Amino acid sequence: MRNEKFAGEIPVTPAFERAVHKIVATIPRGKVATYGQIAEMAGAPGAAREVGHVMARVETGLNLPCHRVVNKTGTLAPDFAFGGQERQRLMLEEEGVTFLADGRIDMSRHQWGRGEQLTLFP
């Protein structure tokens, strides 16, 4: 077990990583979710940074739509992820995600869960 901790002193475990992966896998095309939103859904409110660390370690073979996970302001991931912000933006635009004039995602239109039922278990 790693000895990393969440803000709430919950250890980062393989179970947390699996929960994050499961949530990310369900983000639909044309939608994005924030790191904090995923942390909350995984049962660890306040662990947005830890979700970012999990996203940075996702193995390519998992085929998770990590490009759909963004900052709460709609800012794209740092340049080291996805081959750079331009690549992430292209991937999102191909799914119909629109951007504001300042380059941020239009979160009012594309944040997963806005006006939708969020559930992992039907």
Side-chain angles (χ1 to χ4, degrees):
M1 179 186 302
R2 294 182 190 98
N3 58 8
E4 299 173 53
K5 300 273 186 187
F6 295 138
E9 296 302 314
I10 302 168
V12 176
T13 64
F16 175 74
E17 289 187 23
R18 284 190 302 274
V20 169
H21 293 172
K22 185 172 185 174
I23 293 163
V24 171
T26 63
I27 304 169
R29 287 178 60 83
K31 295 291 182 178
V32 295
T34 68
Y35 296 100
Q37 180 181 354
I38 292 168
E40 190 170 325
M41 292 175 74
R49 186 176 305 252
E50 287 77 6
V51 170
H53 292 303
V54 170
M55 292 288 85
R57 293 189 302 259
V58 169
E59 296 175 21
T60 306
L62 292 177
N63 294 318
L64 293 176
C66 298
H67 64 285
R68 297 179 188 152
V69 182
V70 299
N71 177 286
K72 66 183 175 183
T73 65
T75 304
L76 298 176
D79 281 332
F80 63 82
F82 313 108
Q85 290 183 345
E86 292 173 15
R87 174 138 172 72
Q88 184 182 15
R89 181 176 175 133
L90 179 63
M91 293 168 77
L92 291 169
E93 286 177 333
E94 287 174 352
E95 296 181 358
V97 173
T98 58
F99 289 77
L100 302 171
D102 64 4
R104 293 178 299 121
I105 294 166
D106 185 345
M107 296 298 280
S108 67
R109 291 185 61 197
H110 300 290
Q111 185 173 357
W112 183 39
R114 291 216 176 207
E116 303 171 60
Q117 178 68 29
L118 284 181
T119 181
L120 293 179
F121 308 102

